[in-house]
Amino acid sequence: MLEILKRFFNFCDKENRNKFYASIALGVLNSFFMALRIAAIAVMMQGIIRTFATGNSAAQPFTEKTIWLSLAIMCFSLIAAIITKKTMSMLQTEAGYRTCAGKRIEIAEHLRYIPMGYFNKNSLGQITSVTTNTMELVGDVATRAVMLVTQGLLDSVLIIVMIFFFDWRIALVALAGFLLFQFVNVFMRLSVHGISEEKNRTDENQVSKILEYIQGIAEVKAYNLTGTRRKELNSVIDHAKDVCLNMELRCIPISAIQSMVAKLSGVAIMLASISFYLSGTMLLENCAVMIVCSFMLFSAMEAGGNYSALLRIIDLGVKKAQAILDVPTMDIEGGKNQDRGASESDSDKGSDKDIFAKNITFAYDKRKIIDGVTIKIPANTTTAIVGPSGGGKTTLCHLLARFWDVDSGCVTLGGKDVRDYDMDSLMANFSFVFQNVYLFHDTIANNIRFGEPAAPMEKVIAAAKKACCHEFISSLPDGYETVIGEGGASLSGGEKQRISIARAIMKDAPVIILDEATANVDPENEHYLMQAIDELTKEKTVIMIAHRLKTVRNADQIIVIDKGKIAEQGKHEELVKLGGIYARFIDSRNKAVSWKL
C-alpha cells in the first residue's frame, strides 16, 4: 500500500504534491483533535461514575467544574477538527483537480513531440481512455480514495496511541485487531490484482469501439451493417459490465470479512475491558472509556478500508498515464532553437532552405518502407513525388519533416541535421496541406489562425482571400464566427481544403508539403483550390505528392518512388522518354482524361 501511495504522490507535480503533504499533516492534527474526544469522555465518565459510586472513599462529587472541563475539551476538539477537516478537504480537492488538469495538458504537450510511429502502435482508444477516464479517476476517485485510506490509517493509529495512556493491555488488543484488519486488507487488494488490469484494458477497448462506431457511422449505415456493428459494440459494453460486476463480486465477500474484523476488534476491546473491570484490574470509568474507544476504532478502520480496493486500479491508472509521459520524445539533448532556415553565411551560398536526404532508410517494425533514398530539394523549387500506392511517398515526406526519425542516413535543412533542431523551431519551417483535412470544432476564424492564435482579423481575412475562401465564408450566417463541426463536418471537401490552405498561408513557412491536396476535390472546387495553392506556394520550397498530370508536369524535378527506392528522377519530358513507371503513369492519366460516357 505504501508503494502505491508513494507512486501516486510522485505522479503529482511538486506544487500539488506539497498540498497533499500539507493535507496529510493537517490530517494528523485532525486525528489528534478527534482523539481528544476520548479525553473529554474520560473526564465526564470519571466524574459521573465517581459521583454515583458507593463504598469508594476516594470518590469525588460530580461538580460543575467537571462538566465545564469536559465540555471545553469536547468543544475545542470539535471546532479544531472542523477547521482542520475543511482546510484539509480544500487542499485535497484543489490538488486533485489541478493534478488532473495539469496532467492532461502535460500529456497533450508531450504527444506533440512523440514520433508518429507511436500512434500507429497505440490505439486512439488507449490515449483517449488515459486522458479522460484515467485522469478523471486521478482527479476525483483517486484523490478521495488515497486521502480517506491515509486518514483512516492515521485515525486508527492515533486512537490506539491514546488507548495506551489508559491501559496498555487494551491497546495491545486494539493493535492486534488493527494488524489483522490490515492483513485482510492486503488480501483484498491482491484479489483484485488481475481483474484490475483487465478492467483497464476493457475500458480502453470500450472507448476505442465507441469512437470507431461513431466515426464510422456513415460507412456502417451505407453498407447496412448497423445491426452487426451494434452487436460488436454491445458485446464490448456487456463485457465491461461483466468485468465491473466480477470485480465487485470479488471484493464484497472480502470487504464483509474486513468489516467483520473491524467490528470484532471493537467487541474484543469491550469484552477485554469488562473482563479487566470484573477482575478488579481496571477502574469502571476507564472501562467505560474503552468501550467508547472500541466504536471509534472500528469506525476509523472501516473508513480507510472501504476504499483500499480502489488503490490497485488507481495505481494502474497512474502507471498508464506515466507510461505515455515516459515515451521518449524526438527532441535530443542539445537540440537547438534554430531560426527558420540556416545562417546568413549559408544563405549567401544559396542553400539556406535546401533539403537534403542522404541514404536514408526507414522501416515499420521489420517491413522496410524507405530503402537507401538520396535526394536534394533546392530552396524555392517544386518537387513532385509520384509512384505506385504503398511505395513510400507519404513516408518519405514525413521523414523529411521529421514526423519520424530515419533508421539510418540523415536529413538536413539548410545544411543542419533536422535532429539538431528542437521540434518547435523545426516545425516553423514546414506547412502541410493533407488529403484528409482536419478542422477543429471552433469558429472558422480560429481554425485559420490556428498556428497564430493572436493574429488580428484583418490578417485572417487576407489569408482567406488568398486561399479563395473569403467569398463562401462571408455567405455563411455568422461569417468568420461560424462554428464548424468537429473535423469540419459541416463543410464540403473543397471548402475544408481551402481553409486548410488559408491556415498554411497564415503560417508562412518556407517549405510547403502537399499530400494529395487535390485528390478528392470536385472539378468546380478544383479551380479555386489550384488558385489557392498557387498563392500558398509563391517563392516557397514545394514538395507535392500528386497523381494529377497538370499538378506534376511543371515541377522542377519529379521523383518516382517504387518499393521504397527512387525508380526514376528528372523532369517531365525526360521521364516520359524513358518509357518507365512515370511514362506508364502519364499514359494511364491521359486515357482516363479522354474517357467519356
Side-chain angles (χ1 to χ4, degrees):
M1 183 193 296
L2 293 178
E3 185 65 28
I4 292 175
L5 295 175
K6 180 181 178 182
R7 190 176 294 113
F8 173 78
F9 291 131
N10 287 339
F11 179 72
C12 305
D13 60 74
K14 184 177 180 180
E15 180 181 355
N16 291 311
R17 183 164 58 248
N18 288 338
K19 288 181 179 179
F20 279 126
Y21 289 159
S23 175
I24 291 173
L26 286 172
V28 174
L29 285 176
N30 180 262
S31 298
F32 172 75
F33 292 134
M34 295 293 283
L36 276 180
R37 291 176 298 174
I38 298 174
I41 294 170
V43 170
M44 185 67 72
M45 287 289 185
Q46 187 180 60
I48 293 172
I49 292 171
R50 287 186 178 182
T51 297
F52 294 99
T54 59
N56 186 352
S57 59
Q60 296 179 3
F62 184 54
T63 64
E64 184 178 336
K65 182 180 178 181
T66 305
I67 297 174
W68 284 112
L69 177 60
S70 177
L71 181 62
I73 296 173
M74 184 65 75
C75 288
F76 174 76
S77 169
L78 289 176
I79 293 171
I82 289 170
I83 293 172
T84 52
K85 181 71 174 178
K86 175 182 177 297
T87 309
M88 179 178 65
S89 297
M90 289 300 297
L91 285 171
Q92 292 171 10
T93 302
E94 185 177 349
Y97 285 115
R98 285 185 180 276
T99 295
C100 173
K103 287 299 176 180
R104 278 179 172 145
I105 294 171
E106 187 178 347
I107 288 172
E109 286 295 309
H110 190 74
L111 290 174
R112 292 175 54 209
Y113 303 103
I114 292 176
M116 292 297 293
Y118 172 84
F119 301 98
N120 292 333
K121 297 174 184 176
N122 298 270
S123 70
L124 180 61
Q126 180 185 357
I127 298 171
T128 305
S129 178
V130 169
T131 53
T132 53
N133 296 347
T134 302
M135 288 301 101
E136 191 67 26
L137 184 73
V138 170
D140 191 358
V141 179
T143 301
R144 182 170 176 77
V146 167
M147 300 316 296
L148 281 175
V149 169
T150 305
Q151 191 64 38
L153 286 172
L154 290 172
D155 287 347
S156 301
V157 169
L158 282 174
I159 289 171
I160 293 172
V161 170
M162 290 291 287
I163 293 174
F164 262 107
F165 286 100
F166 288 87
D167 194 295
W168 63 270
R169 298 167 298 175
I170 301 299
L172 289 179
V173 174
L175 182 61
F178 175 75
L179 293 176
L180 181 59
F181 181 88
Q182 294 304 318
F183 174 78
V184 177
N185 189 266
V186 169
F187 186 70
M188 179 163 64
R189 290 200 304 275
L190 291 175
S191 71
V192 299
H193 184 279
I195 198 72
S196 298
E197 293 183 354
E198 185 178 356
K199 184 182 184 304
N200 274 284
R201 288 193 300 269
T202 302
D203 286 345
E204 291 175 7
N205 193 30
Q206 184 174 223
V207 171
S208 181
K209 280 295 180 183
I210 291 172
L211 288 172
E212 180 186 57
Y213 186 82
I214 294 172
Q215 291 173 339
I217 193 67
E219 284 74 15
V220 170
K221 287 183 176 180
Y223 288 93
N224 198 27
L225 296 172
T226 307
T228 304
R229 291 299 180 187
R230 192 183 64 224
K231 287 179 182 177
E232 290 182 11
L233 180 60
N234 288 350
S235 176
V236 171
I237 293 173
D238 286 340
H239 179 65
K241 175 199 68 177
D242 292 339
V243 169
C244 289
L245 285 174
N246 189 16
M247 191 169 123
E248 289 298 324
L249 291 173
R250 286 193 186 189
C251 288
I252 287 172
I254 304 174
S255 181
I257 295 172
Q258 185 175 251
S259 179
M260 186 180 298
V261 168
K263 289 178 172 62
L264 288 176
S265 296
V267 171
I269 291 173
M270 287 189 282
L271 292 176
S273 299
I274 294 171
S275 175
F276 293 147
Y277 167 70
L278 293 175
S279 66
T281 59
M282 179 182 286
L283 295 175
L284 178 59
E285 55 264 35
N286 285 355
C287 177
V289 172
M290 292 301 99
I291 290 173
V292 173
C293 286
S294 69
F295 288 95
M296 295 175 65
L297 180 61
F298 82 70
S299 296
M301 287 196 293
E302 279 197 321
N306 287 339
Y307 285 88
S308 60
L310 291 174
L311 291 181
R312 176 62 185 167
I313 298 175
I314 294 166
D315 191 42
L316 288 173
V318 167
K319 285 179 179 178
K320 282 167 55 181
Q322 192 60 50
I324 293 179
L325 294 171
D326 288 340
V327 174
T329 63
M330 294 182 71
D331 278 340
I332 60 170
E333 186 177 353
K336 298 176 181 177
N337 187 348
Q338 308 280 5
D339 293 330
R340 289 181 177 178
S343 64
E344 186 176 349
S345 60
D346 288 333
S347 180
D348 293 339
K349 298 174 185 178
S351 62
D352 60 327
K353 297 178 187 67
D354 286 358
I355 298 172
F356 182 54
K358 183 179 180 182
N359 198 29
I360 61 173
T361 62
F362 179 77
Y364 291 129
D365 295 325
K366 295 181 180 180
R367 186 168 67 95
K368 188 166 283 189
I369 307 299
I370 299 296
D371 186 8
V373 169
T374 297
I375 57 173
K376 182 177 182 180
I377 301 173
N380 301 326
T381 64
T382 297
T383 297
I385 301 175
V386 300
S389 180
K393 303 182 296 296
T394 298
T395 301
L396 176 60
C397 288
H398 286 169
L399 292 173
L400 296 179
R402 208 194 169 198
F403 275 24
W404 293 292
D405 272 333
V406 296
D407 294 333
S408 63
C410 67
V411 177
T412 61
L413 172 66
K416 294 181 175 63
D417 194 310
V418 293
R419 290 168 291 194
D420 289 337
Y421 293 78
D422 66 42
M423 286 302 294
D424 288 335
S425 60
L426 178 64
M427 286 299 104
N429 288 280
F430 292 91
S431 284
F432 305 88
V433 180
F434 298 110
Q435 177 180 352
N436 298 315
V437 176
Y438 190 88
L439 300 179
F440 295 90
H441 182 65
D442 203 343
T443 64
I444 290 178
N446 285 340
N447 268 282
I448 292 174
R449 60 160 70 97
F450 183 71
E452 193 178 340
M457 184 56 71
E458 294 78 10
K459 193 172 181 180
V460 172
I461 293 173
K465 287 180 177 178
K466 290 180 180 179
C468 301
C469 54
H470 175 70
E471 186 175 342
F472 88 78
I473 294 173
S474 300
S475 67
L476 295 173
D478 296 318
Y480 283 87
E481 296 305 312
T482 300
V483 176
I484 57 180
E486 185 178 353
S490 57
L491 301 176
S492 71
E495 290 170 342
K496 288 192 289 185
Q497 284 284 17
R498 279 182 273 162
I499 289 176
S500 175
I501 290 171
R503 186 158 63 190
I505 289 173
M506 280 281 289
K507 187 176 182 182
D508 193 28
V511 181
I512 311 295
I513 295 180
L514 306 172
D515 188 352
E516 297 282 12
T518 63
N520 298 325
V521 179
D522 56 83
E524 293 180 2
N525 274 307
E526 185 178 6
H527 169 70
Y528 294 109
L529 194 58
M530 293 308 298
Q531 280 186 277
I533 289 175
D534 287 342
E535 189 66 38
L536 171 66
T537 57
K538 282 182 179 177
E539 300 179 357
K540 306 288 186 184
T541 303
V542 180
I543 304 168
M544 64 169 66
I545 299 173
H547 288 133
R548 298 197 179 192
L549 176 58
K550 58 186 175 182
T551 60
V552 300
R553 68 183 305 158
N554 296 323
D556 296 296
Q557 66 172 330
I558 299 168
I559 298 172
V560 182
I561 299 291
D562 184 27
K563 297 179 181 178
K565 296 178 178 288
I566 296 179
E568 299 170 1
Q569 184 173 357
K571 290 184 176 293
H572 172 75
E573 294 79 8
E574 298 170 351
L575 297 181
V576 169
K577 290 178 182 178
L578 289 177
I581 295 175
Y582 183 78
R584 292 193 295 273
F585 162 76
I586 295 300
D587 184 56
S588 64
R589 292 302 179 272
N590 286 332
K591 288 179 179 178
V593 171
S594 63
W595 188 85
K596 293 181 181 180
L597 183 63

